[in-house]
Amino acid sequence: MLNQLTISELAARLAKRETSAREITYACLDQIQRVDERIHAFLSHDPADALAQADAADRELASGVTHAQKPLLGMPIAIKDVINVKGHPLTCGSKLLGKFISPYDATVIQKLKAAGAIVFGRLNLDEFAMGSSTENSAFGLTRNPWDTTRIPGGSSGGSAAAVAAHECVATLGSDTGGSIRQPAALCGCVGLKPTYGRVSRYGLVAFASSLDQIGPFTKDVRDAATLLEILSGVDHADSTSVPQPVPHYSAALNGEIKGLKLGIAKEYLVGGLDPEVKQAVDAAVKQLEKLGAEIVEVSLPHTDYAVATYYIIATAEASANLARFDGVRYCARADGADPIEMYSKTRGAGFGPEVKRRVILGTYVLSSGYYDAYYLRAQKVRTLIRNDFLKAFEKVDAIVTPTTPTAAFKAGEKSGDPLQMYLSDIFTISCNLAGIPGISIPCGFTKLPKLPIGLQLLGKPFGEETILKLAHAYEQSTAWHKERAEL
Amino acid sequence: MAAEIDVKYVAHLARIALSPDEEQQLSTQLGNILGYIEKLKEADVSGVEPTAHAFPLVNVTRPDEVRDSLPTEEALRNAPAKANGLFMVPKIVE
Amino acid sequence: MEYEAVIGLETHVQLKTKSKMWCGCANAFGSEPNTNVCPVCLGLPGVLPVPNDEALRLTVLTGYLLNCQIPTFAKFDRKSYFYPDMPKNYQITQYDKPSTANGYVEFEFQGGISRVRITRAHLEEDVGKSTHFERNSGVDFNRAGVPLMEIVSEPDLTSSDMAYEYLNALKEILIQGGVSDCDMEKGMVRCDVNVSVRPKGTKELGAKIEIKNMNSFSGVRRALDYEIPRQIEAVQRGEKLIQSTRRWDDVTGITEQMRTKEDAHDYRYFPDPDLMPLEPSEKWLEEVSKRAIELPLTRKQRLMKDFGLPAGDAEVFKSNVALGNYFEGIAKGTKNPKAIANWLINNLQAKLAEANQKEIAEQSALGLETSEMQLTTLNDLKFKPEALLELVGLVDNKTISSSAAQQVFADMFETGKSPALIVQEKGLAQVSDTGAIEKFCDEAIAANPKFVADYQAGKVAAINALKGQVMKLSKGKANPALVGEILERKLRS
Ligand SMILES: [Mg+2]
Ligand SMILES: [Zn+2]
């Protein structure tokens, strides 16, 4: 039962000594035992270590440390298995890493620990965060808690499913083209992708360095604000993190959205959009209007180029980022007569089909003679896409869209056709190309079967406060976030 | 932009050994994807600056200060093969 | 038909920083394998590079020393190729937007001044070091990520000797400029050579052939002395040379084909998304330019012009910067800088060497390493620099003879006493009192009738023997010039 509560609810109970970090952690571990065989959100977790951290937290609480000082004290938070935690295994959902144990903490992990969190568990994902369904994990697929015949989305499928199945209080994921917002939508939880540079990438295994951001999965918007506040800030270990002051995000959640201008992009009302999804999103927009937001139509004319642009930039960067997985300093090595043979066999045996596909595509677009036609051109189109948003944000404070064209699809339904899979990211990809923040929150369910539908709010660069405010006002005026998957 | 891709050559550049089947499948799939990517040719990018970073910053550096390194055993911990503090690899022939 | 060589050099130099290029590991040579490594320079999953600001300054400083332009925009790119000593399997370098461009180096060659244009000096990272064993190889990543500067010359060099002199000039500039220690033994300087041949007078270049693996400047010279004739013979045989890379074998003294253009690398350069571009500010550039020293060649020429020093002396002060500074510190105040130069180059250097030898002997006896030894330098001389001016003055105004001056200098060096004091204590001043000298002369004449006779018989040289006698009687203090006059007068009369 405790495992179903939010960070703010648990903080209140801990403050009143109505419960303990140990009880909360037990509740999560019990739930994992009860449901994770069916969900498979976790690749691994260490109950003893989690409980040891819980006891340490209880000692701090006993010694008078408050959640004002350490907002996450006693909160079990699980991590997508693409973020380094010192002394924990790191697989990236790939066979290739073998028995890799990380010798260092990612910056976000240092921040979670400093805030008192119980950092435990490694969550399933598409191999190297490449995918939209978590079917590309080398360790089996994660299932959607609302319908275990369906995928949870991806690449942070484990992070979304673990929260939706209440196996922990909150999780961290990473978002390169929608990998936080899409699974959050499909699993019915809150997922936030911060502005590029808002949160340090140090310790996040890079997929596409110019697109990747780490962000939280939570049970409500307030928890997302609480976590973002802790994760954010310039990091001198990440040259791309931005020295921008960190607002007191949760303080902005006052329901006051009167006069905020909310944009609707006609380019997002495309074919392929499921009628039930459209209905839910339209209703959500009406609701936001009722709450005082002003609805304005905006245009993002280059939206149609986003997927193509993304698959050039992301795969090109990935082809270099993944070169280090070579079997010299780490990785499960395959024998070879010379280094070249060793590399090729190691990587040929260790990478799954999707990773091979993307690394080879990325290598191709950068190879001699093609740079200008592909990568350079894609970077220019990226400018056009970013400018579309900056122009739109001259008129509006945020843009509202569906997070995904459809609710969760069946496992295996799209895995045969990579391009179809890529196209399902159409609503989330532009946000990464533009480097702006985006959040997905529950906005309804399909009828049969009952599957969550996600509403996406996109903000100005470093406009997290505004989209959190809008998301929170909407959430508090609906009951979607209180719905629970039957397990 | 050629939608034809020499998978054998590119896979070698990427140091990924492929089975003949994989090669087959990949050239079809990558052919489709590259075909789709062709649409970028329609975009008018004349006079448009490329975006390398979503948020423009310049001169991000660190001071020239020595910090602790890893203990050697930690550094070598995940090595598939090691000896005398070295990472061992198949004989390098060049 | 006569052929000429066209040579360009790519020189890689390790920069003199405390820490590595992207991480805080020590930039140190000779540590135990894989002790100066961390997640960043091992290329572990998830790490990010952050540029070392001093490495950026040293690169731009090099730009100033090599008369380069400093572009207002520079960036880092990824150069992809797989190799076991390369942690990320891409090298971070500056591809199309380097931190410096379009400069030149001037140096003395064949009695004149040669100028070699510099295409660029850009910043990149060094790789690890592999050791080869019977059946496998081992990699040490201590060197991986050490800041490395690549200095690319235009193909302005025409001979192996010219390449050799260019490299030495470059090295002297970088060492004196504080950019790099350029220690060959420690592999701090490495260079690749591009060489082609063409019929003298023709313009278009022949097939460019790159030579790798020379670990000394003389190695470069030897490699070229082998490669240039090889190419000329080949062309004369009517063979068609193709662009290729060859390896120099220092033992056998030949170059062997490594790879041809066909199997050349495809480096897939693209801007590194982990690193932000560089746009040096006016203020920053000014600070860096303040660190630029006077170039060695410029200084040599200036010393010759301003002080009328012979090339040999100026060359000593060019390569021995400290001694040169010492010289300049006092030479302004004298009409006889050549004399000062002589004292420094001939006497002071000798004295210091002598002293240092003693010190080394003593301190190594105490078991000290060369690095920990305390040796006397120009900074801890007992006498003040002005004392040398004084000494030269005493000689020039004939107060002491040059032989006496030697004693005075030795004493100065030992005790630090002023020359005047030493002359007085030791009574080394020349006697110019005619009365006394007349007396010595009469004694000498009286005592040596033979010489007198010889002189009067026309053997003029005999007077020197008499002079010698007078100096003896005066214990070397008589003013030789006066002695000459007086003797002549007496002998004629
Ligand atoms: Mg280079
Ligand atoms: Zn390091």
Side-chain angles (χ1 to χ4, degrees), chain C residues 12 79 91 93 122 124 150:
Chain C
H12 289 88
K79 176 185 184 180
Q91 180 192 36
T93 180
H122 69 257
E124 53 189 37
E150 178 173 344

Side-chain angles (χ1 to χ4, degrees), chain B residues 9 13 15 53 55 57-67 69-70 72 75 85 87-89 91-92 94, chain C residues 18-20 23-25 34-35 37 50-53 82-83 133 136-139 247 266 273 275 277-279:
Chain B
Y9 168 75
L13 268 185
R15 299 291 187 265
H53 298 95
F55 192 91
L57 294 170
V58 294
N59 306 327
V60 182
T61 62
R62 46 170 273 271
D64 181 23
E65 293 162 358
V66 175
R67 301 280 185 81
S69 295
L70 281 176
T72 309
F87 292 86
M88 302 308 292
V89 295
K91 182 137 187 181
I92 300 168
E94 239 246 290
Chain C
K18 297 193 210 69
S19 64
K20 290 189 181 182
C23 63
C25 290
N34 294 304
T35 50
V37 293
V50 185
N52 180 328
D53 61 3
F82 282 79
Y83 206 81
F133 305 101
N136 51 11
S137 304
V139 191
R247 182 198 290 97
D266 183 341
L275 292 159
L278 305 165
E279 292 177 12

Side-chain angles (χ1 to χ4, degrees), chain C residues 297-345:
Chain C
L297 178 59
T298 316
R299 178 176 216 203
K300 178 177 180 179
Q301 292 166 329
R302 185 173 53 78
L303 290 178
M304 290 169 71
K305 186 167 145 299
D306 294 1
F307 300 103
L309 291 184
D313 292 5
E315 179 64 31
V316 173
F317 293 143
K318 167 186 157 228
S319 38
N320 186 337
V321 177
L323 196 65
N325 293 342
Y326 192 95
F327 170 79
E328 288 201 61
I330 50 179
K332 287 179 201 60
T334 170
K335 288 150 253 57
N336 191 355
K338 173 64 181 137
I340 298 287
N342 289 345
W343 282 110
L344 295 181
I345 294 169

Side-chain angles (χ1 to χ4, degrees), chain A residues 333 356 364 373 377 383 386, chain B residues 1-2 22 43 49 51 54 88:
Chain A
R333 177 190 292 182
K356 287 178 182 173
Y364 172 74
R377 189 173 190 83
T383 307
R386 178 172 166 78
Chain B
M1 295 194 193
E22 284 180 307
E49 283 299 309
T51 294
M88 302 308 292

